[in-house]
Amino acid sequence: MSDLTTAARPDVTLDDAARIAAGHWGLSGEMRELGSHQDHNVRIDAPRGRFVLKIANAGWARSALDAQHAALPVIAAAGIPGPTPVGGIEQVTVAGQRVHAHVLTYVEGTPLLDRGIFGVDECRLLGNTAGRVVAALADFAHPGAERHSPWDLRNAAGVIDQLAPGLRAEVATHLDRIGELAARLPTQVIHGDLTDDNVVLADGAAGVIDFGDLCVSWRCAELAVTAASVIGKTGDDVGAVLAVVEAFTAHVPLTDIELTAVWPLVVLRGAVLVASYTEMEADGAENAYAQQRDDADRRAYQASAALDAEEMSWLIRGAGQPLPTLDLPRLLPGARPVALDVTSELWDDGAWLNSGVRPDATRYGEYRLDRARPLTAPGHHKVFTLGVWITLPEDAALPETPPGVIVDASGAPRIWVQACALPGTPPRTVTAHAEHLWRRICPDPSPLLGVDVAAPEPDPAGLLARRGAHFAAVQEHYYDAPPQIERGWREFLVDSRANVYLDLVNNVATTGHAHPHLSRAASRQWRLLNTNSRFHYEQVVTLCERLAGLAPDGLDQVFLVNSGSEAVDLAMRLALTATGRTRMLAAREAYHGNTIGSDAVTSSIGDNPHALETRPAWVELIDAPNRIRGTHRGPDAGRAYLADLDAQLGRIDTTEIAGVILEPLFGNGGGVLLPEGYLAGVFDRVRALGGVCISDEVQVGYGRLGHHFWGFEQQGAVPDIITIAKAMGNGQPLGAVITTRAIADAFAAEGSFFSSAGGSPVSAAVGNAVLDVMADERLQENARIVGTRLKDGLDALAVRHPAIGAVHGMGLYLGVELVTDRETFAPATELAHAVCEAMREEGCIVQPTGDLHNVLKIKPPMVISAESVDYALAALGRVLSRL
Ligand code: PMP
């Protein structure tokens, strides 16, 4: 075996280990195997303490072990807890092979890896420990450390070529870069493997174990190995790496050249790990320890290879050394910069997607929206601007540029101006990672122009604090640390850092966000007239005609209000007055609104944990007809729920029942379809009692189901009253009640009905514009076709991922129910939360719903494209595989 390969581990049983420990060190006790890539490590709990017997790989030279024994006291003298050698290094025979073995004291504590928490503090601790070890070993020398180790990154090219030549092309630029820098990288003895595996925490102090990779190498390689080990362990790889760099360089000041080498070495370290697994697989060697790490290390390597190498090198250089404060003189004429951020009017009506603008002057620190694209993960695009464009007056001469200032006049009179505290030519726009560090590397060039050209820094956390101060907190927000969403376009939402998210939750945005036809109709109507419906104007008449035309025959009287809650409230008043009765039937687990009346029939404990104990006496709750996880399941569930209802009606005074309010599909439960025949069965029974039937279509009606315009059509039932809102106004406060003339007339006996803004010219114009867009863009058909594609894709994911218990709904009203057990349907509430967080990192906004918060609600704007649906499915697949 060549000394460049990672040699196979010796074949040692616990019996062998016991024999060797007793024979050579007089040690006996409980033995247990510890993990190792290449050696055999056995912990011995002996009466006189804990020890580790290390039986070395046959490739080991005795001198390398001598070097370890010599280095350990040096580490200890620096105050870093670590193992102490017990006795000497012995030759032992295992499986007929002569190999070296030695014994060290066992370092008590928990490896960082096993603590289950890993954040930026752990990154700092690792960087700090690696820095202290390198500082301690700075003057240490031993001939045994001058060895040829495959883990020495100086040999990375050879290892990769030999073990995984397929990787060579992927890392070629990093190898070339290191080739250029190598001669200027100082060497010393390093530990070589300071990762969360080998740093143990006991009583708050970090100890170091496993000196098996000790050798002379580049001193910056120690930092690279540690930095590589934190990738994939926190939510922010860039921040994690920089935390390691900062902590390390606090103990070992590195040169600018060394810092430049760190990132290529991080990627190469990942590649060497992957290469070593490739070899182990080829050998068919069984090493459970290594296999367990394999996947995580491969993913980490891929994550590092996917980061922008130029940006990473700049950031590491910026984080790893003190940056000079630039003295920027006034050099250039002032400028009046144009905003290009998320709220810039230049980008209205989707213009950010096909930018050709070149303003005379731009801003520094701008998150340029025209550099962002949909269907990408946040932080993926180079949107953050580190300099400014300005246009010089015709007669202006170009100034001499002082150190730290870059002026590119190749496109004069438009010139690029950028300040930079480090030597070299920095990138002009970068991805939105570590922006505060970028602001130090490339500071605000305003002083050069004598005017403020800096864009305001986005501050979603500051805004959240302001929100918390006065916006009553019971009005919740999505996510613990929500992005600040300031623009929408079609099925996309954009935050203040120009991250574009696929919006999978906004069923209210029927026509998509910021539809030009809608915004034009609303602003035109505002310029014409906005008043109340006691005046006589066309928009309200047209809207009511269109709604009556959409409703079933006989339902041709329309009331216009401002919300779903108001519509539900009014619908129940209509039922009470039409029947002269006082009580309503409503299903458990439903949500109907926030007014006293609509809240009374809302019994979802997901929204109000006390809902079931606090419903007023006029509300008669009936069982939630959930055929997936309810009292009755399967094909006969409808009949069984109706039989229960009959029994319940037999127990109460039905002469007081004015009617029933039901959603035609469990909106709040995540789109669970009602059992077959259920809605028609309930309506028949209520009508037989002399009651009135309300279908609450606020959430699921209005074309979203694709196959049907109204939810009740899916159930083959016809209501007496329909409530709508949400979709009909695309977010404009607009709701409606549609009913029969008989019911509307009965209500007239109560006096007049008036809603100041319900059906106002502006609201009615928006309602009409929504219907225009739905017809012109065939949105119901889109809901059917794209919705079916989405549902089929989710069903396919359910085959591969047992966490998906069921996929509910139809069209673009879908729910993905996550369970811990497909038989019992036990809810996977925590998983649902984690999936939503991870989906956000993939650039998709999705939220949990249902009484148990375990159903992902998927109800995107009805304009969603097949491409977006495919992106969402791929993202969900990745997330479910990962979690
Ligand atoms: N009914 C149903 C079925 C709903 O889902 C909602 C809102 N989620 C409402 C009524 C109340 O609508 P709004 O929020 O517009 O008052």
Side-chain angles (χ1 to χ4, degrees), residues 119 163 172 182 254 386 422 462 537 608 618 647 729 740 815 866:
L163 302 185
L254 297 182
L386 299 175
L422 287 170
Y537 48 87
N608 171 7
W618 61 268
T740 61

Side-chain angles (χ1 to χ4, degrees), residues 563-565 568 591-593 663 696 698-699 726:
S563 69
S565 303
V568 166
Y591 181 88
H592 292 292
E663 271 197 282
D696 183 353
V698 165
Q699 175 108 281
K726 296 193 196 269

Side-chain angles (χ1 to χ4, degrees), residues 435-479:
E435 50 281 39
H436 284 94
L437 182 52
W438 279 120
R439 286 179 198 278
R440 283 199 286 127
I441 298 171
C442 293
D444 179 4
S446 291
L448 297 169
L449 300 132
V451 288
D452 186 3
V453 292
E457 279 186 51
D459 184 16
L463 186 68
L464 195 66
R466 279 171 58 202
R467 172 180 168 124
H470 299 293
F471 188 62
V474 68
Q475 304 166 93
E476 294 170 353
H477 54 78
Y478 295 143
Y479 303 112

Side-chain angles (χ1 to χ4, degrees), residues 502-504 704 782-797 807-808 810-816 839 857-861 864-866 868-874 876:
L502 174 58
D503 177 5
L504 296 172
R704 172 161 291 277
N782 193 60
R784 180 169 53 79
I785 295 170
V786 178
T788 302
R789 183 188 186 99
L790 179 51
K791 174 110 181 347
D792 289 349
L794 293 170
D795 284 335
L797 283 180
V807 178
H808 306 305
M810 60 162 55
L812 287 173
Y813 202 102
L814 300 170
V816 178
M839 282 294 275
K857 51 179 166 188
I858 304 198
K859 39 180 195 171
I864 192 170
S865 68
S868 292
V869 155
D870 292 347
Y871 181 85
L873 288 167
L876 186 59

Side-chain angles (χ1 to χ4, degrees), residues 180-439:
E180 288 158 20
L181 301 171
R184 288 174 287 169
L185 300 178
T187 57
Q188 68 161 74
V189 176
I190 65 170
H191 177 286
D193 196 18
L194 280 170
T195 67
D196 54 357
D197 239 350
N198 293 333
V199 172
V200 297
L201 257 197
D203 301 329
V208 173
I209 59 171
D210 190 358
F211 287 74
D213 293 340
L214 185 98
C215 69
V216 173
S217 183
W218 293 312
R219 118 183 123 164
C220 61
E222 186 91 283
L223 169 55
V225 167
T226 305
S229 78
V230 301
I231 291 176
K233 298 200 172 138
T234 70
D236 171 11
D237 287 338
V238 178
V241 166
L242 296 179
V244 173
V245 171
E246 271 175 16
F248 181 95
T249 51
H251 296 280
V252 184
L254 297 182
T255 66
D256 196 40
I257 297 290
E258 286 177 289
L259 290 166
T260 307
V262 168
W263 186 253
L265 289 174
V266 167
V267 181
L268 291 174
R269 162 69 173 188
V272 167
L273 278 171
V274 170
S276 77
Y277 295 122
T278 310
E279 191 211 22
M280 275 186 234
E281 267 159 31
D283 286 0
E286 274 181 35
N287 184 341
Y289 165 84
Q291 258 155 29
Q292 200 189 343
R293 303 294 156 85
D294 182 338
D295 271 0
D297 284 335
R298 277 178 203 274
R299 274 201 302 273
Y301 161 68
Q302 269 145 16
S304 68
L307 285 169
D308 187 287
E310 187 195 12
E311 288 181 17
M312 288 309 294
S313 276
W314 276 91
L315 286 172
I316 289 170
R317 288 172 65 202
Q321 59 189 319
L323 294 175
T325 313
L326 292 181
D327 188 15
L328 299 177
R330 169 86 203 258
L331 274 187
L332 293 157
R336 229 184 289 145
V338 173
L340 298 173
D341 66 339
V342 63
T343 57
S344 168
E345 283 190 40
L346 284 172
W347 306 139
D348 286 357
D349 293 340
W352 55 284
L353 287 168
N354 36 30
S355 158
V357 302
R358 306 183 85 206
D360 281 352
T362 60
R363 300 194 298 186
Y364 164 80
E366 188 85 284
Y367 289 83
R368 282 188 65 155
L369 181 54
D370 57 329
R371 298 295 168 89
R373 283 297 171 268
L375 305 181
T376 45
H380 200 79
H381 283 296
K382 294 178 187 287
V383 293
F384 185 59
T385 316
L386 299 175
V388 294
W389 288 103
I390 65 157
T391 303
L392 289 180
E394 256 166 44
D395 49 356
L398 261 189
E400 270 299 295
T401 48
V405 178
I406 293 151
V407 171
D408 176 358
S410 55
R414 212 164 165 263
I415 65 171
W416 174 260
V417 183
Q418 184 170 3
C420 186
L422 287 170
T425 307
R428 293 180 179 184
T429 47
V430 292
T431 47
H433 296 298
E435 50 281 39
H436 284 94
L437 182 52
W438 279 120
R439 286 179 198 278

